[in-house]
Amino acid sequence: MAVKKLSESFPKALIEEVQKWGGMKQNGVSLRYMMEFGSKPTDRNLLISAQFLHKELPIRIARRAIELETLPYGLSEKPAVLKVRDWYLDSFRDLRAFTDIKDPKDEQAFTQMIKMIKVRHNNVVPTMALGVQQLKKDSNPKIMYSNLDEIHQFLDRFYMSRIGIRMLIGQHVALHDPNPPPDVVGYIHTKMSPMEVARNASEDARGVCLKEYGSAPDINIYGDPNFTFPYVPPHLHLMVFELVKNSLRAVQERFVDSDRVAPPIRIIVADGLEDVTIKISDEGGGIPRSGLPKIFTYLYSTATTPLDEHSNFDSTDAMTMAGYGYGLPISRLYARYFGGDLQIISMEGYGTDAYLHLSRLGDSQEPLP
């Protein structure tokens, strides 16, 4: 496939507009603001929300499109990265072609369009992973591991921005539900039980382990089942699923030929004043200290199934993340998006503890890379 430079495949006027919008200031919102604003989804509020997105989304998308053009080591020229760049430019063009939003009819049409944009970008994560894999395959190994910080930092910014774009679109679209479940405001559950989400995510991860190995360690969850706080359940599900899946795999592989019963994974949910912390502990043998810095990089994977150009990507983010070592870095971005964090502490020869911190206050602004 011949590499098409941006100027060959897109009109000059569009490229100039991308440059202009990419230089504008982004505006972050907090979980609390989204929750309070969305609690009254009147026609007027939906109109205000659509007008905000009509101006905000092109800025965020333009910034990423510009960055996709200027990646180091020839990553920008990889076929998979060009495909992602074209998705971003198509979405930018769609948003800019949409005229001003003046009434509920315009707002409905705009909502349908951003829904389509969200679908267009469903497979960005695995497609970018494929681009990085194409780079690894074609590169001189000396470059690959000497200075990959630049690519790693780009992917952190790129995926963090994607989480924000998808949250804003998803939140706006979900506010149109005429019969929302109780305590649900768009994507946000105002009384989410972390115990319940952790239990569901653990069961899903255990299902994956059973399918792969034929058996799976038990999982014990401790905490107050009545405790709730406002958060986005799919974000928490994705993070706990990834962490538990890693723990299950480590324990399963450590005890596969042992006469001992595999020890259970322990999950503890603690509700502090500032943070809700979920600790996931396993006795899977731990990670050597020299390997710890690598676990949050996108170029380090223990995956057995490499991606290829013909991979049939699942459209759900949670499962596509599973196979190629992106689970930890992306989970940490989801935690940080609403002011939390993810830390991994390991005892080589024993096991690993993952601490997932979630901000209980909900008032930190979105990080805007």
Side-chain angles (χ1 to χ4, degrees), residues 19 21 31 42 86 88 90 99 106 112 224 231 246 346:
Q19 294 288 350
W21 281 76
L31 180 72
T42 57
D86 289 355
Y88 273 73
D90 287 342
T99 51
D106 294 345
Q112 287 310 310
D224 177 358
Y231 205 72
N246 288 350
S346 187

Side-chain angles (χ1 to χ4, degrees), residues 345-357:
I345 295 172
S346 187
M347 289 173 74
E348 192 187 6
Y350 180 75
T352 302
D353 288 346
Y355 290 86
L356 179 58
H357 302 282

Side-chain angles (χ1 to χ4, degrees), residues 112-321:
Q112 287 310 310
M113 183 194 65
I114 60 174
K115 221 191 243 184
M116 290 306 298
I117 287 177
K118 189 163 179 271
V119 171
R120 175 186 288 147
H121 290 250
N122 271 350
N123 287 323
V124 161
V125 177
T127 310
M128 280 302 290
L130 179 59
V132 171
Q133 213 158 295
Q134 288 164 344
L135 178 71
K136 273 170 90 169
K137 204 170 66 185
D138 304 345
S139 281
N140 169 348
K142 279 198 198 73
I143 327 180
M144 276 319 294
Y145 294 98
S146 60
N147 185 14
L148 283 175
D149 281 359
E150 228 179 312
I151 288 178
H152 180 71
Q153 286 161 11
F154 156 72
L155 289 169
D156 260 353
R157 289 192 302 275
F158 183 77
Y159 291 136
M160 180 66 93
S161 170
R162 180 175 186 273
I163 290 168
I165 290 167
R166 292 179 82 75
M167 179 70 203
L168 292 180
I169 294 176
Q171 179 69 4
H172 179 81
V173 170
L175 289 175
H176 288 74
D177 182 350
N179 302 303
D183 306 314
V184 169
V185 175
Y187 262 15
I188 303 161
H189 196 307
T190 61
K191 292 181 179 167
M192 182 195 78
S193 159
M195 286 277 288
E196 189 186 328
V197 176
R199 186 169 290 112
N200 292 338
S202 306
E203 282 167 12
D204 288 354
R206 203 163 178 273
V208 171
C209 185
L210 280 166
K211 204 162 145 189
E212 202 170 316
Y213 297 100
S215 63
D218 287 337
I219 299 167
N220 299 332
I221 304 183
Y222 307 93
D224 177 358
N226 300 315
F227 168 67
T228 65
F229 78 116
Y231 205 72
V232 179
H235 286 194
L236 180 57
H237 187 286
L238 182 145
M239 294 183 277
V240 174
F241 172 83
E242 274 303 322
L243 294 167
V244 172
K245 181 173 62 65
N246 288 350
S247 287
L248 288 166
R249 188 194 297 144
V251 171
Q252 192 65 28
E253 290 185 355
R254 188 181 188 202
F255 288 88
V256 68
D257 298 321
S258 164
D259 299 334
R260 282 181 56 202
V261 175
I265 313 288
R266 290 184 307 284
I267 301 177
I268 299 165
V269 179
D271 45 297
L273 293 174
E274 277 184 30
D275 280 354
V276 174
T277 303
I278 298 175
K279 176 182 168 189
I280 297 165
S281 301
D282 68 59
E283 293 175 40
I287 302 159
R289 206 153 45 99
S290 61
L292 273 174
K294 287 185 193 161
I295 63 173
F296 285 111
T297 67
Y298 297 95
L299 298 140
Y300 169 80
S301 170
T302 52
T304 47
T305 48
L307 295 156
D308 63 42
E309 282 78 351
H310 313 293
S311 295
N312 177 21
F313 299 138
D314 186 341
S315 64
T316 58
D317 290 349
M319 297 315 282
T320 46
M321 266 174 46

